Amino acid sequence: MSSLSFNFAPDFRPLAARMRPRTIAEYIGQAHLLGEGQPLRQALEAGRAHSMMLWGPPGTGKTTLAELIAHYSNAHVERISAVTSGVKDIRAAIEQAQAVAQSRGQRTLLFVDEVHRFNKSQQDAFLPFIEDGTVIFIGATTENPSFEINNALLSRARVYLIKRLSQDEIVHIITQALTDPERGLGQRQLVMPTDVLNKLAQLCDGDARKALNLLELMSDMVADGGSFTTEMLVQVAGHQLAGFDKNGDQFYDLISAVHKSIRGSAPDAALYWFCRILEGGGDSLYVARRLLAIASEDVGNADPNAMTVALNAWDCFHRVGPAEGERAIAQAIVYLASAPKSNAVYTAFKAARALARETGQEAVPYHLRNAPTKLMAEMGFGAEYRYAHDEPNAYASGENYFPESLQESQFYFPTERGFEKRIKDKLAQLAQLDQASGRKRYE
């Protein structure tokens, strides 16, 4: 009797692990780092790697990027999680790196996840081995390295900001997993309606791993060739999505309600909608990020302190955790809702951006250019520039800071509300000085 031999080995890894990008071309997101022509991408494709810190939210590709760097650098990989490791584990990883260098002549990429959880002495343990080239150090952190990482370690590693993935990028990742027959669910011919796809992408808030985990859970509930439904998403997401979908409310409807309540100077309503988000399992930090936008868009210079309050609330959440941190965000919500309002800066910025888009070929006037070389000085760069601090009232009245054809442009019209009234009065005084010099700065 002949025996049959099968080479088929089922891959039991989670979908998120199976779909991990293998090449830069498969990597979705972080175009500011890995887009065509970007320095980091060029370095990787050339097989050059350097020590770095990857700072960004969960599920945005920090670990995957580290794996790609190791692949393109032909480096041995050692992994440490600061959540479960100590100095003993660091030493073991370093000893392994030294052994690999001696036996294979190969460099080691040391990937340290959640590096901010290591204390000062643990972080210092890496320094000599980064300096002597024993390891290429890559640390991943969800916390601001400026606050959580030693200056000595920061000085030896370049910090790269890993951005939260956009909804379109999450949709791309989900679609890729649905259609990939080798690593994903492509062989099952599953159907994802657009409304369910968009709702899943919204729910994941830029976290690719969360999106793929939820997709995999949903795929267990549908037969091959079947279609996903919102009810399936509610079941796998549990309280979080159920809270957002209760009575037909959508997550972004709740965020919109918070924003509009603050803009409308209704602190009680803003607090209510914030609590609705919390009770639905929503991300407090998403609200904190929106508060920064509100501080500049709706409060503006009517109360410049609003942005500081919003930033402090975000920082407080990171430092003390959700319980007290959510209270800090609530405090910022009340402050912003109660503050005087102005969208004058927001409006001015849009108008200036539109004009800049239309007049991008206008030359910078010679008197506003620097002249770091003799030739540039001979060409008139910087000539007749008036240093404002040497002028009466530290103001060069009548001076033009626009291209000649645009010198009468005005975008910013301060309101009479809050601190902005003082700005308006100051600009009016400067306009009077301009008129006295024979030129009106503003009509």
Side-chain angles (χ1 to χ4, degrees):
M1 178 182 292
S2 62
S3 60
L4 296 177
S5 174
F6 296 92
N7 294 322
F8 173 71
D11 191 344
F12 293 111
R13 292 179 300 162
L15 179 62
R18 301 200 307 270
M19 292 302 300
R20 193 181 294 279
R22 299 160 296 186
T23 65
I24 293 177
E26 292 180 352
Y27 193 95
I28 297 173
Q30 316 312 325
H32 64 295
L33 300 178
L34 298 178
E36 291 288 347
Q38 293 298 329
L40 180 58
R41 177 166 183 160
Q42 292 177 337
L44 296 187
E45 291 177 336
R48 300 189 303 270
H50 54 269
S51 292
M52 65 185 72
M53 202 74 63
L54 304 177
W55 171 32
T60 49
K62 298 186 293 296
T63 302
T64 298
L65 180 53
E67 297 280 359
L68 287 177
I69 292 170
H71 169 71
Y72 280 90
S73 305
N74 190 30
H76 170 72
V77 181
E78 288 289 323
R79 300 174 183 82
I80 296 177
S81 172
V83 177
T84 57
S85 304
V87 172
K88 180 179 178 181
D89 302 283
I90 297 174
R91 289 173 180 164
I94 295 298
E95 290 173 359
Q96 181 63 26
Q98 292 170 333
V100 167
Q102 292 175 0
S103 63
R104 307 182 203 166
Q106 187 179 26
R107 295 188 70 185
T108 292
L109 185 149
L110 178 58
F111 177 67
V112 183
D113 198 18
E114 300 291 334
V115 63
H116 62 276
R117 294 181 180 269
F118 276 144
N119 60 35
K120 184 180 186 300
S121 63
Q122 290 170 321
Q123 293 182 25
D124 286 344
F126 297 111
L127 300 179
F129 307 104
I130 297 173
E131 289 184 344
D132 68 13
T134 301
V135 297
I136 303 166
F137 176 88
I138 298 186
T141 177
T142 56
E143 305 295 332
N144 190 331
S146 300
F147 298 139
E148 306 294 341
I149 306 300
N150 293 348
N151 288 333
L153 184 54
L154 277 181
S155 68
R156 291 163 174 81
R158 182 170 179 179
V159 177
Y160 290 105
L161 178 63
I162 306 299
K163 297 181 180 180
R164 189 176 299 272
L165 299 179
S166 69
Q167 184 174 329
D168 287 343
E169 289 167 340
I170 293 293
V171 166
H172 189 173
I173 289 170
I174 296 170
T175 303
Q176 189 179 68
L178 283 170
T179 55
D180 189 322
E182 177 188 353
R183 297 178 297 150
L185 305 171
Q187 292 184 357
R188 297 188 57 191
Q189 298 293 308
L190 301 174
V191 178
M192 175 76 77
T194 302
D195 62 328
V196 180
L197 176 61
N198 290 334
K199 189 171 293 186
L200 173 57
Q202 288 177 1
L203 176 67
C204 296
D205 193 26
D207 188 329
R209 182 170 52 247
K210 182 177 180 180
L212 292 174
N213 287 343
L214 289 175
L215 174 62
E216 187 168 28
L217 289 172
M218 291 172 66
S219 71
D220 293 336
M221 303 169 63
V222 60
D224 291 356
S227 179
F228 295 103
T229 66
T230 301
E231 289 71 23
M232 293 176 185
L233 183 55
V234 171
Q235 289 185 48
V236 299
H239 179 58
Q240 181 173 355
L241 186 63
F244 288 150
D245 281 352
K246 187 177 181 181
N247 299 324
D249 291 331
Q250 300 293 320
F251 172 62
Y252 285 98
D253 289 340
L254 296 177
I255 288 292
S256 178
V258 171
H259 193 150
K260 289 181 171 62
S261 297
I262 293 175
R263 180 185 292 153
S265 299
D268 297 302
L271 274 180
Y272 167 76
W273 293 118
F274 174 50
C275 291
R276 279 281 298 274
I277 290 172
L278 296 182
E279 289 303 310
D283 183 2
S284 303
L285 289 181
Y286 188 97
V287 180
R289 290 193 297 274
R290 178 59 70 92
L291 293 185
L292 287 173
I294 294 171
S296 63
E297 177 181 343
D298 295 297
V299 178
N301 283 336
D303 185 353
N305 194 47
M307 192 173 293
T308 301
V309 171
L311 278 169
N312 286 343
W314 191 340
D315 186 35
C316 184
F317 185 96
H318 280 299
R319 290 177 181 272
V320 301
E324 292 82 1
E326 288 170 356
R327 187 169 63 239
I329 293 173
Q331 179 180 341
I333 287 173
V334 171
Y335 185 96
L336 267 62
S338 305
K341 305 295 188 298
S342 170
N343 71 342
V345 172
Y346 176 64
T347 302
F349 176 68
K350 289 196 299 182
R353 190 70 178 266
L355 184 61
R357 190 178 300 116
E358 297 171 2
T359 59
Q361 302 304 315
E362 291 285 348
V364 176
Y366 274 34
H367 71 286
L368 296 182
R369 303 187 191 188
N370 287 329
T373 69
K374 180 179 179 181
L375 174 62
M376 296 169 75
E378 291 174 350
M379 293 176 63
F381 287 17
E384 301 182 4
Y385 170 68
R386 296 163 60 191
Y387 187 60
H389 293 287
D390 291 339
E391 301 279 339
N393 301 307
Y395 180 66
S397 58
E399 182 72 303
N400 171 45
Y401 296 95
F402 275 102
E404 287 298 321
S405 64
L406 305 175
Q407 60 182 308
E408 298 301 326
S409 301
Q410 182 179 3
F411 313 114
Y412 181 46
F413 298 91
T415 70
E416 296 279 349
R417 296 183 290 278
F419 183 82
E420 201 162 45
K421 185 179 187 307
R422 294 174 59 182
I423 297 176
K424 183 176 183 178
D425 292 343
K426 173 64 180 294
L427 293 180
Q429 293 172 6
L430 298 181
Q432 291 178 356
L433 294 176
D434 284 331
Q435 290 176 351
S437 72
R439 174 184 172 273
K440 291 184 179 181
R441 185 175 184 183
Y442 297 135
E443 292 295 338

